Structure formats: structure tokens, C-alpha cells
Amino acid sequence: MPIVREGGHLVITFPFRPQPLALEPISETVFDMPFTDGRFTFRKDEKGRVTGVSFRSATTERDMAKIAP
């Protein structure tokens, strides 16, 4: 599930969707996945760079690491 910036928005790509899904910003580091209960919370280091993200859906929470481009 890659998350990338596209056209001024963060989007997520799923293999079962024909096009990316735009994430809705809740705050500077928290984004909701529309039409679901999914939420992404980004972690930053002391310089403000994203180091990872936590994905929560219903009662499940998973940590995801940043992959260098």
C-alpha cells in the first residue's frame, strides 16, 4: 500500500482499486481514509521528516515503515 503525494494530496494505492484513493487530512500528521474507519498517523523525527506511519482500522493497528524512494 504505497502512500504518495499526488496533485497536492496524499493518496494510497490498493491492488484491487483502479485508481488511487485520496486521504483526507485531519491534522498535520493524521489522515483519514474516506468511506472507511481507516486512519493514518505519521511519525516525524526532530527535523520534521516522516519516519513511519501507524495505520488503524476498527480494532487493529499496524506500524508501517518508510521506504526510501
Side-chain angles (χ1 to χ4, degrees):
M1 295 187 320
I3 299 173
V4 297
R5 187 183 313 252
E6 187 177 283
H9 299 282
L10 287 182
V11 297
I12 187 165
T13 303
F14 293 101
F16 54 85
R17 284 186 55 93
Q19 54 191 354
L21 178 64
L23 300 177
E24 296 178 358
I26 302 302
S27 73
E28 185 179 314
T29 58
V30 178
F31 291 77
D32 276 352
M33 200 164 49
F35 315 111
T36 72
D37 66 350
R39 178 169 281 186
F40 294 92
T41 303
F42 290 86
R43 292 182 301 277
K44 294 182 177 185
D45 65 13
E46 62 281 347
K47 294 183 179 179
R49 296 176 295 207
V50 173
T51 59
V53 64
S54 175
F55 174 67
R56 183 198 51 78
S57 178
T59 60
T60 304
E61 190 162 338
R62 302 177 77 185
D63 278 332
M64 303 165 64
K66 181 178 179 181
I67 298 173

